[in-house]
Amino acid sequence: MDVTAMAFYALVCGGLGALSPRLPSFWQRFAVAALVGVIAAAVLPVLRGVLGI
């Protein structure tokens, strides 16, 4: 995995970690994490193309 992908996912996971204690149940945290992961995986290639990385 290259540095760009690691930094991007670190930011996404850091933001998710900051919000997760506010969700009351395990399943809600799991659902949000899964959704964020799918969105991050879809957005990264587009973002890299726009930035020319």
Side-chain angles (χ1 to χ4, degrees), residues 7-17 36-37 40:
F8 180 74
Y9 288 115
L11 288 172
V12 169
C13 291
L16 181 61
V36 168

Side-chain angles (χ1 to χ4, degrees), residues 1-2 5-6 9 12 16-18 23 27 30-38 42 44 49 51-53:
M1 184 179 288
D2 65 321
M6 285 193 302
Y9 288 115
V12 169
L16 181 61
L23 297 174
W27 294 110
F30 181 80
V32 169
L35 180 63
V36 168
V38 168
L44 182 59
L51 295 176
I53 298 174

Side-chain angles (χ1 to χ4, degrees), residues 12-31:
V12 169
C13 291
L16 181 61
L19 295 175
S20 65
R22 296 183 186 155
L23 297 174
S25 76
F26 169 78
W27 294 110
Q28 286 177 336
R29 290 189 301 269
F30 181 80

